[in-house]
Amino acid sequence: MKIFNTLSRRKEEFVPLEPGKVKMYVCGPTVYNYIHIGNARPMIVFDTVRRYFEYKGYEVNFVSNFTDVDDKIINKALEEGVDASVISERFIAECKKDMAGLNVKPATTHPQATKEIEGMLAMIHTLIEKGHAYVAGDGTVYFRTESFPEYGKLSHKNLDELQSGFREIKVTGEEGKEDPNDFVLWKPKKEGEPYWESPWCEGRPGWHIECSVMAKRYLGDEIDIHAGGEDLIFPHHENEIAQSECANGKPFAKYWMHNGFLNIDNKKMSKSLGNFFTVREISEKYDLQVLRFFMLSAHYRSPLNFSADLMEASKNGLERIRTAVGKLAELQQKAQAAAGQAAAGNAAGDGAQAAAQSAGAGKASMTAAEQENVAAAKDLVAKYEAAMDDDFNTADAVSAIFELVKLSNSTADENSSPAYVSYLKDTIEKLCDVMGIVTEVKHEALDSEIEAMIQARQEARKAKNYALADEIRGKLSAMGIILEDTREGVKWKRA
Ligand code: AMP
Ligand code: ZN
């Protein structure tokens, strides 16, 4: 498997630190609002990376944080007159709902910054001890970038260049810095902000330190993959490398993966420009699987433009796959029913078995032509795997799935052997599942369908066909519908 490593700027062969295991950390969202579809891109992309590793037999320890202490959270809490934790807990819960809708698997661990303060204090302490950090007059602790000659290795920036760029910029409140490139590890509290005790001042952590600490605690000093959106390369990930490598004395992450941006109207999607959609808004118009399918239709490192047309195209593409799988499921059911009939016929010694066999259902094994088609399907599976092995090229992997769908549509029918039908169905479902694409549509009964069933039950009762009325009631009950016979008629509700 090859992965494009931002650190070396080239594709490298993936060699895990420990055979058969992948330790992976993905920077998660700051929780002060519903997540937008830009935030959903790294979630979908790296969930797919995780699923593919699992498909290849790796055991993946996947850690993704929630940043739950930040200016934006504090401001929102002040606006609402509540504690910052009320805001962050609310939006963590909402984010988890969106993740479930997008079929993003929960991480092995979802740590939260505010619950990891102890580890942050310890790492900051180590950095001060080793001379990589210093305390300014007001109690702010800064990382000393000059103490780490490799600073800039991820973003390919040179420290001198950075310094000259910063020379003119003086940030108020940061006068205590030795060097403009230095960054905050710990800062004093401001009025009304959440704060923690520390040896340096009552205050709160800088943003970058949380990820170094959580990665260390849940994955260890050295990890295989660290990932996030490309906007995080500098300064966030650059700073994480500096903190972790200086504190632990070991290389931090072996492979750095970054997803491209999701744009709207070819412009950067941003909350300040107001051109963004939340995942929740999209879920009101589309099945969120369409959004997931849309995200995977492009390579993860390419910029991706969100548009109604592309979403429509994704919706149609997804439907094409689902229709094919639905047809295969139907053929499978028919084959099973026919096999049952054949068995019964066999016992009775009549012609039913012959009839079932002529329909293809009784054939235990595949025909030669089917075997040839299976060989072609296996080539497509290999094509899918080659695409995914090549830096997770989901766009080409999706094309391989479409080719399988085409093969299925043109070769599977009532005359196919059950083995062939099952092979196609299982293969398409498996490859879709690796991408987190659900092929089976859960059919939620519509109000009109339920009302029609209730009407049928009433008619059965009128005709004194109580057995049928009970049967309908049973079906409704299995669907989670509770009936209540009242004076005004039958009322119903979902359980
Ligand atoms: P934030 O809450 O801003 O820290 O973002 C959480 C994750 O979403 C980070 O990995 C960001 O890089 C990523 N992200 C934010 N906006 C976009 C976007 N428009 N396109 C792709 N990724 C994004
Ligand atoms: Zn991070």
Side-chain angles (χ1 to χ4, degrees):
M1 277 171 84
K2 286 203 158 50
I3 297 183
F4 182 91
N5 189 350
T6 309
L7 205 54
S8 63
R9 283 185 173 162
R10 54 183 183 80
K11 284 184 197 168
E12 291 176 25
E13 189 61 36
F14 177 74
V15 183
L17 290 164
E18 221 182 298
K21 295 197 173 159
V22 180
K23 287 179 256 187
M24 186 165 176
Y25 186 97
V26 181
C27 292
T30 307
V31 278
Y32 67 103
N33 208 332
Y34 290 99
I35 55 163
H36 59 62
I37 54 176
N39 300 136
R41 192 171 186 195
M43 286 179 181
I44 293 167
V45 160
F46 298 116
D47 177 61
T48 305
V49 167
R50 170 197 191 167
R51 286 168 180 264
Y52 189 63
F53 273 119
E54 286 170 348
Y55 169 78
K56 297 276 263 191
Y58 286 94
E59 189 187 306
V60 184
N61 190 346
F62 189 98
V63 177
S64 190
N65 65 309
F66 288 116
T67 297
D68 63 350
V69 56
D70 169 272
D71 286 345
K72 293 181 228 112
I73 300 172
I74 294 168
N75 290 340
K76 186 138 187 170
L78 290 174
E79 264 169 40
E80 288 193 20
V82 295
D83 207 65
S85 62
V86 173
I87 302 291
S88 54
E89 292 302 328
R90 182 195 305 161
F91 289 110
I92 286 173
E94 296 299 346
C95 178
K96 285 186 175 169
K97 282 187 211 161
D98 288 336
M99 285 169 68
L102 292 164
N103 200 22
V104 168
K105 285 193 193 186
T108 315
T109 317
H110 274 296
Q112 288 172 234
T114 57
K115 297 182 179 158
E116 306 288 336
I117 301 291
E118 214 177 298
M120 298 193 216
L121 295 177
M123 190 176 278
I124 297 171
H125 180 76
T126 305
L127 289 170
I128 296 174
E129 290 259 286
K130 289 184 162 184
H132 292 295
Y134 57 94
V135 190
D138 63 350
T140 307
V141 185
Y142 291 105
F143 184 90
R144 183 178 280 127
T145 43
E146 240 184 22
S147 74
F148 183 54
E150 291 172 55
Y151 191 78
K153 68 177 171 183
L154 180 71
S155 52
H156 305 271
K157 288 181 197 290
N158 152 329
L159 210 54
D160 292 340
E161 255 171 60
L162 281 171
Q163 245 159 5
S164 62
F166 276 125
R167 197 154 292 152
E168 300 307 318
I169 313 166
K170 276 253 179 274
V171 183
T172 25
E174 296 196 350
E175 292 84 359
K177 274 187 180 183
E178 288 175 1
D179 185 295
N181 286 322
D182 295 352
F183 57 90
V184 172
L185 299 174
W186 188 265
K187 59 186 169 192
K189 68 171 181 188
K190 286 197 205 122
E191 199 49 43
E193 285 186 357
Y195 68 91
W196 291 264
E197 298 293 334
S198 86
W200 319 291
C201 62
E202 286 181 338
R204 62 181 169 104
W207 170 33
H208 316 297
I209 193 75
E210 70 179 80
C211 291
S212 285
V213 167
M214 296 172 188
K216 180 181 172 76
R217 173 158 183 205
Y218 297 101
L219 298 171
D221 291 353
E222 293 182 75
I223 69 174
D224 292 290
I225 298 174
H226 196 122
E230 65 183 7
D231 58 323
L232 300 186
I233 298 173
F234 187 85
H236 186 52
H237 288 164
E238 196 69 74
N239 292 352
E240 277 191 47
I241 292 178
Q243 296 163 159
S244 296
E245 299 198 350
C246 289
N248 303 332
K250 288 183 194 147
F252 182 30
K254 236 177 136 181
Y255 305 90
W256 287 85
M257 294 179 73
H258 294 98
N259 65 271
F261 251 51
L262 180 74
N263 298 322
I264 288 192
D265 299 328
N266 291 310
K267 279 192 253 51
K268 187 176 162 170
M269 200 179 70
S270 93
K271 286 200 174 155
S272 53
L273 292 172
N275 62 340
F276 71 92
F277 294 110
T278 60
V279 170
R280 206 53 68 84
E281 282 168 323
I282 296 300
S283 75
E284 283 157 17
K285 278 198 187 161
Y286 295 95
D287 172 351
L288 285 180
Q289 282 279 301
V290 175
L291 183 65
R292 182 164 183 135
F293 197 62
F294 159 76
M295 298 273 189
L296 296 176
S297 63
H299 191 277
Y300 75 91
R301 282 189 286 120
S302 312
L304 176 60
N305 198 43
F306 180 84
S307 72
D309 283 355
L310 286 175
M311 282 294 280
E312 279 309 310
S314 298
K315 188 173 162 208
N316 294 338
L318 184 59
E319 260 169 29
R320 198 159 8 123
I321 298 173
R322 285 179 168 173
T323 307
V325 174
K327 183 184 140 194
L328 291 169
E330 227 177 86
L331 290 175
Q332 220 174 21
Q333 274 168 9
K334 275 191 195 157
Q336 268 162 12
Q341 226 183 346
N346 210 10
D350 64 17
Q353 188 191 21
Q357 270 190 351
S358 73
K363 289 178 212 154
S365 55
M366 292 187 211
T367 62
E370 285 175 344
Q371 278 169 12
E372 251 174 59
N373 289 336
V374 165
K378 284 187 174 161
D379 285 346
L380 291 172
V381 173
K383 195 170 161 186
Y384 172 98
E385 289 180 358
M388 292 298 276
D389 283 344
D390 182 15
D391 192 29
F392 305 95
N393 191 337
T394 53
D396 285 1
V398 166
S399 306
I401 295 180
F402 279 132
E403 285 183 64
L404 269 170
V405 164
K406 209 166 132 192
L407 178 75
S408 165
N409 288 345
S410 60
T411 58
D413 57 26
E414 275 81 6
N415 298 314
S416 306
S417 70
Y420 181 60
V421 169
S422 296
Y423 172 80
L424 285 176
K425 182 169 176 282
D426 294 350
T427 306
I428 298 174
E429 278 178 338
K430 177 84 217 155
L431 299 190
C432 285
D433 181 60
V434 173
M435 305 191 125
I437 299 296
V438 181
T439 47
E440 191 191 5
V441 197
K442 278 209 197 82
H443 182 65
E444 170 96 7
L446 300 170
D447 288 6
S448 57
E449 290 177 77
I450 293 164
E451 272 149 25
M453 285 173 77
I454 293 174
Q455 182 66 30
R457 175 175 168 259
Q458 293 299 87
E459 278 161 22
R461 282 170 66 164
K462 239 192 246 163
K464 301 205 173 358
N465 187 349
Y466 297 113
L468 178 62
D470 283 350
E471 189 188 320
I472 298 173
R473 187 182 192 116
K475 273 190 191 157
L476 284 161
S477 153
M479 288 158 71
I481 305 299
I482 300 165
L483 295 184
E484 208 187 326
D485 292 310
T486 72
R487 240 181 273 158
E488 295 90 55
V490 180
K491 292 205 170 144
W492 67 272
K493 62 178 182 190
R494 289 175 207 271

